[in-house]
Amino acid sequence: MDPNLLTPLFTLLGTLVGALVTFAVNRQQFKHQIQALQQQYRTEFMAEETARHFLSHKSFTDRSFDVLKKHLGGFEDDELRKILVRAGAVRTYRDDDSEWWYLLSRMGERIEKMQQRS
């Protein structure tokens, strides 16, 4: 084999091996960062999922803030409100000034129930 071809061939081979090693290391670091972020925000993700569960109950479109606060303990009022908004909920007030929440995705169902009551 021509010695003039060996040098570029080994250079190319070294570059490819280096690129593969760099790719593997970066991929592993990315996976680790994703896992760390999931652990860091796990409480918030679970709180949103729990809020959606309570607001998705087939018999009740609306839930009072007090009921949600009771079942999603450990959060300050405004922090819980932010969780509810991230879960897709909308706040409303009743005639007695009590705070109620419902899922925006259930607005049609909620309106239908309100019309049936009237």
Side-chain angles (χ1 to χ4, degrees), residues 59-62 94 100 109-118:
S59 299
F60 303 102
T61 55
D62 297 26
R94 299 260 170 108
W100 289 73
E109 180 183 349
R110 183 175 181 269
I111 291 170
E112 193 176 297
K113 283 187 176 188
M114 290 172 70
Q115 288 174 344
Q116 289 174 355
R117 289 184 201 145
S118 299

Side-chain angles (χ1 to χ4, degrees), residues 45 47-57 84 86-88 103:
F45 289 136
E48 287 175 36
E49 188 176 320
T50 303
R52 264 188 236 99
H53 171 78
F54 279 104
L55 294 170
S56 296
H57 191 279
L84 289 165
R86 283 194 306 264
L103 287 176

